[in-house]
Amino acid sequence: MAESSGVSRAGLIGISLGVLAAGAAAGVAVERMTVGRAMRRRAREELDAAAPFGSLRGAPRWVRADDGTELYVEVDAAEGPGPTVVFCHGYCLNQDSWHFQRAALRGVLRTVFWDQRSHGRSERSRSYVSGEPASIDQLGGDLRAVLDAVVPEGPIVLVGHSMGGMTVMALAAQHPELFGPQGRVAGVALMGTLAGGWDSVTLGLPAAGAKVVKRIAPGVVRLLGRQVELVEATRRWGSDVTAVFYRRFSFGGKDVDPAVVRFAEQLLDATPIDVVAEFYPAFSVHDKLAALAGLDGVPALVMAGARDLITPPEYAEAIAAALPGSRLVLVEDAGHLVMLERPELVDRELAALLERAAERAGTGPLPTVPAEPDGEQQEG
């Protein structure tokens, strides 16, 4: 009976991977006809050795969350006035996903980067290990703990991508006083995120296929989360398939630097499947549209890739509609990891937001961050 159960679990894992990677299989087949496995492996090894992505480090700190979970934080110091910029990364990533923005602001402003619980160098969520489900509200509490520990005073600009944007919204719901006229939050950037409605996202699939995937995904993810060793081994064995899968759901253009694509693969591969399973259910219950009212009057940037399949641009439009004074930027030919795919444009938009935030906080003008030419975004 036990053997039969094991076969059943393995079969379900195979079916789930087939559903998720069906769109990537054709691309892998073509690649295998043109490029040998050994050549692909050598190319990856060369990129891993040469690319500096994720190499920037700051002064390390550990911050204890309410449940005792130790959160890993790094601070990049800078001289002169200006708000402290706090970056919150997305689901299945870590603080290194902000590599380009970190490089652009290094020495210009004080910046804070942290790994969300169970991600990166942070400790596995103690409350989850003890049986409590993960929640976006808990992440909002974690962000408050980080602010109290490393930015106890002075103006703040919060930058969140994907789940990190949800974290910022959760903080706004819990502590609206931080965002009000007398609050310390002088600016907010929400990138590739949504305020609710995750269950309506089709992931670029036809309506019928999206409905099936959404129905079976929670159970499949829970099952995979219980089969860590098997799934991680399958990941390594099926690296060609997962690479095409990652690319499809991370980037929107065809001209992305291969080293950047490889860097994204490394970030995603570094997240264990049980951590994927830990947070996935939280997105269905995330609804923070009402909390956006607390950001009224705070300089805000809402940004998304026009080809984002995970948090499509209409969700960014909904956030911007709830923030009448915000700047909406939809980046053409960009996907979910817009900060890696179009870093110069993101840096420019952040620089403009930081100027507005400095004006609101009364800290004076800031040095200009280099930016790419106009013409690569749609504004709303």
mmCIF file of all heavy atoms in Angstrom, residues 143-165:
data_model
loop_
_atom_site.group_PDB
_atom_site.id
_atom_site.type_symbol
_atom_site.label_atom_id
_atom_site.label_comp_id
_atom_site.label_asym_id
_atom_site.label_seq_id
_atom_site.Cartn_x
_atom_site.Cartn_y
_atom_site.Cartn_z
ATOM 1 N N LEU A 143 7.949 43.863 8.113
ATOM 2 C CA LEU A 143 8.481 45.129 7.601
ATOM 3 C C LEU A 143 8.514 46.177 8.706
ATOM 4 O O LEU A 143 9.489 46.935 8.822
ATOM 5 C CB LEU A 143 7.642 45.610 6.418
ATOM 6 C CG LEU A 143 8.008 46.968 5.827
ATOM 7 C CD1 LEU A 143 9.477 47.040 5.414
ATOM 8 C CD2 LEU A 143 7.101 47.288 4.617
ATOM 9 N N ARG A 144 7.490 46.218 9.537
ATOM 10 C CA ARG A 144 7.482 47.168 10.652
ATOM 11 C C ARG A 144 8.648 46.889 11.604
ATOM 12 O O ARG A 144 9.313 47.816 12.086
ATOM 13 C CB ARG A 144 6.152 47.099 11.410
ATOM 14 C CG ARG A 144 6.071 48.045 12.611
ATOM 15 C CD ARG A 144 6.284 49.507 12.178
ATOM 16 N NE ARG A 144 6.439 50.405 13.306
ATOM 17 C CZ ARG A 144 5.446 51.140 13.823
ATOM 18 N NH1 ARG A 144 4.223 51.039 13.335
ATOM 19 N NH2 ARG A 144 5.669 51.955 14.823
ATOM 20 N N ALA A 145 8.915 45.597 11.853
ATOM 21 C CA ALA A 145 10.037 45.251 12.725
ATOM 22 C C ALA A 145 11.360 45.718 12.137
ATOM 23 O O ALA A 145 12.242 46.206 12.853
ATOM 24 C CB ALA A 145 10.061 43.742 12.959
ATOM 25 N N VAL A 146 11.513 45.582 10.824
ATOM 26 C CA VAL A 146 12.731 46.036 10.149
ATOM 27 C C VAL A 146 12.868 47.554 10.275
ATOM 28 O O VAL A 146 13.954 48.080 10.583
ATOM 29 C CB VAL A 146 12.727 45.602 8.675
ATOM 30 C CG1 VAL A 146 13.869 46.277 7.904
ATOM 31 C CG2 VAL A 146 12.846 44.082 8.568
ATOM 32 N N LEU A 147 11.785 48.275 10.048
ATOM 33 C CA LEU A 147 11.831 49.737 10.150
ATOM 34 C C LEU A 147 12.183 50.173 11.570
ATOM 35 O O LEU A 147 13.017 51.063 11.769
ATOM 36 C CB LEU A 147 10.482 50.328 9.740
ATOM 37 C CG LEU A 147 10.040 50.123 8.288
ATOM 38 C CD1 LEU A 147 8.688 50.776 8.048
ATOM 39 C CD2 LEU A 147 11.077 50.668 7.308
ATOM 40 N N ASP A 148 11.568 49.549 12.556
ATOM 41 C CA ASP A 148 11.841 49.924 13.949
ATOM 42 C C ASP A 148 13.303 49.679 14.321
ATOM 43 O O ASP A 148 13.899 50.435 15.089
ATOM 44 C CB ASP A 148 10.939 49.122 14.896
ATOM 45 C CG ASP A 148 9.489 49.575 14.846
ATOM 46 O OD1 ASP A 148 9.225 50.656 14.293
ATOM 47 O OD2 ASP A 148 8.629 48.838 15.353
ATOM 48 N N ALA A 149 13.882 48.625 13.743
ATOM 49 C CA ALA A 149 15.242 48.244 14.121
ATOM 50 C C ALA A 149 16.311 49.055 13.407
ATOM 51 O O ALA A 149 17.322 49.433 14.014
ATOM 52 C CB ALA A 149 15.455 46.752 13.849
ATOM 53 N N VAL A 150 16.123 49.313 12.105
ATOM 54 C CA VAL A 150 17.216 49.934 11.337
ATOM 55 C C VAL A 150 16.881 51.320 10.789
ATOM 56 O O VAL A 150 17.771 52.027 10.315
ATOM 57 C CB VAL A 150 17.671 49.013 10.179
ATOM 58 C CG1 VAL A 150 18.161 47.683 10.715
ATOM 59 C CG2 VAL A 150 16.580 48.815 9.152
ATOM 60 N N VAL A 151 15.605 51.719 10.831
ATOM 61 C CA VAL A 151 15.229 53.078 10.412
ATOM 62 C C VAL A 151 14.281 53.647 11.464
ATOM 63 O O VAL A 151 13.117 53.949 11.182
ATOM 64 C CB VAL A 151 14.543 53.088 9.021
ATOM 65 C CG1 VAL A 151 14.627 54.496 8.405
ATOM 66 C CG2 VAL A 151 15.132 52.070 8.077
ATOM 67 N N PRO A 152 14.755 53.826 12.693
ATOM 68 C CA PRO A 152 13.860 54.250 13.771
ATOM 69 C C PRO A 152 13.363 55.683 13.657
ATOM 70 O O PRO A 152 12.385 56.062 14.311
ATOM 71 C CB PRO A 152 14.718 54.067 15.027
ATOM 72 C CG PRO A 152 16.125 54.201 14.542
ATOM 73 C CD PRO A 152 16.134 53.603 13.160
ATOM 74 N N GLU A 153 14.015 56.481 12.813
ATOM 75 C CA GLU A 153 13.583 57.873 12.647
ATOM 76 C C GLU A 153 13.938 58.353 11.248
ATOM 77 O O GLU A 153 14.718 57.727 10.525
ATOM 78 C CB GLU A 153 14.248 58.772 13.695
ATOM 79 C CG GLU A 153 15.771 58.736 13.674
ATOM 80 C CD GLU A 153 16.389 59.535 14.805
ATOM 81 O OE1 GLU A 153 15.709 59.803 15.795
ATOM 82 O OE2 GLU A 153 17.577 59.890 14.680
ATOM 83 N N GLY A 154 13.337 59.473 10.881
ATOM 84 C CA GLY A 154 13.603 60.062 9.572
ATOM 85 C C GLY A 154 12.659 59.549 8.496
ATOM 86 O O GLY A 154 11.975 58.541 8.668
ATOM 87 N N PRO A 155 12.624 60.255 7.354
ATOM 88 C CA PRO A 155 11.716 59.879 6.263
ATOM 89 C C PRO A 155 12.138 58.578 5.586
ATOM 90 O O PRO A 155 13.318 58.230 5.555
ATOM 91 C CB PRO A 155 11.812 61.067 5.300
ATOM 92 C CG PRO A 155 13.144 61.675 5.579
ATOM 93 C CD PRO A 155 13.397 61.470 7.039
ATOM 94 N N ILE A 156 11.147 57.879 5.051
ATOM 95 C CA ILE A 156 11.360 56.572 4.437
ATOM 96 C C ILE A 156 10.682 56.541 3.077
ATOM 97 O O ILE A 156 9.593 57.094 2.895
ATOM 98 C CB ILE A 156 10.749 55.450 5.307
ATOM 99 C CG1 ILE A 156 11.242 55.521 6.748
ATOM 100 C CG2 ILE A 156 11.021 54.076 4.704
ATOM 101 C CD1 ILE A 156 10.397 54.693 7.698
ATOM 102 N N VAL A 157 11.304 55.862 2.130
ATOM 103 C CA VAL A 157 10.656 55.501 0.867
ATOM 104 C C VAL A 157 10.621 53.981 0.806
ATOM 105 O O VAL A 157 11.654 53.324 0.978
ATOM 106 C CB VAL A 157 11.391 56.075 -0.358
ATOM 107 C CG1 VAL A 157 10.782 55.531 -1.651
ATOM 108 C CG2 VAL A 157 11.328 57.602 -0.352
ATOM 109 N N LEU A 158 9.439 53.418 0.587
ATOM 110 C CA LEU A 158 9.261 51.975 0.531
ATOM 111 C C LEU A 158 9.122 51.530 -0.918
ATOM 112 O O LEU A 158 8.299 52.076 -1.663
ATOM 113 C CB LEU A 158 8.014 51.558 1.321
ATOM 114 C CG LEU A 158 8.009 51.924 2.810
ATOM 115 C CD1 LEU A 158 6.665 51.577 3.436
ATOM 116 C CD2 LEU A 158 9.139 51.219 3.544
ATOM 117 N N VAL A 159 9.910 50.540 -1.310
ATOM 118 C CA VAL A 159 9.879 50.012 -2.670
ATOM 119 C C VAL A 159 9.581 48.523 -2.575
ATOM 120 O O VAL A 159 10.328 47.773 -1.933
ATOM 121 C CB VAL A 159 11.225 50.235 -3.393
ATOM 122 C CG1 VAL A 159 11.143 49.733 -4.833
ATOM 123 C CG2 VAL A 159 11.617 51.711 -3.356
ATOM 124 N N GLY A 160 8.492 48.089 -3.205
ATOM 125 C CA GLY A 160 8.111 46.689 -3.132
ATOM 126 C C GLY A 160 7.808 46.105 -4.490
ATOM 127 O O GLY A 160 7.136 46.741 -5.309
ATOM 128 N N HIS A 161 8.316 44.901 -4.728
ATOM 129 C CA HIS A 161 8.032 44.182 -5.972
ATOM 130 C C HIS A 161 7.222 42.936 -5.660
ATOM 131 O O HIS A 161 7.565 42.180 -4.739
ATOM 132 C CB HIS A 161 9.338 43.791 -6.670
ATOM 133 C CG HIS A 161 9.132 42.818 -7.798
ATOM 134 N ND1 HIS A 161 9.471 41.477 -7.710
ATOM 135 C CD2 HIS A 161 8.597 42.987 -9.037
ATOM 136 C CE1 HIS A 161 9.169 40.873 -8.845
ATOM 137 N NE2 HIS A 161 8.635 41.758 -9.660
ATOM 138 N N SER A 162 6.135 42.710 -6.407
ATOM 139 C CA SER A 162 5.339 41.492 -6.293
ATOM 140 C C SER A 162 4.887 41.286 -4.845
ATOM 141 O O SER A 162 4.176 42.127 -4.291
ATOM 142 C CB SER A 162 6.158 40.310 -6.823
ATOM 143 O OG SER A 162 5.372 39.157 -6.984
ATOM 144 N N MET A 163 5.303 40.205 -4.196
ATOM 145 C CA MET A 163 4.921 39.982 -2.808
ATOM 146 C C MET A 163 5.435 41.099 -1.915
ATOM 147 O O MET A 163 4.831 41.420 -0.881
ATOM 148 C CB MET A 163 5.449 38.625 -2.331
ATOM 149 C CG MET A 163 4.960 38.194 -0.970
ATOM 150 S SD MET A 163 5.483 36.507 -0.521
ATOM 151 C CE MET A 163 7.221 36.808 -0.134
ATOM 152 N N GLY A 164 6.548 41.715 -2.295
ATOM 153 C CA GLY A 164 7.067 42.847 -1.529
ATOM 154 C C GLY A 164 6.141 44.045 -1.584
ATOM 155 O O GLY A 164 6.013 44.793 -0.608
ATOM 156 N N GLY A 165 5.477 44.257 -2.739
ATOM 157 C CA GLY A 165 4.474 45.317 -2.828
ATOM 158 C C GLY A 165 3.288 45.021 -1.933
ATOM 159 O O GLY A 165 2.731 45.921 -1.284
#
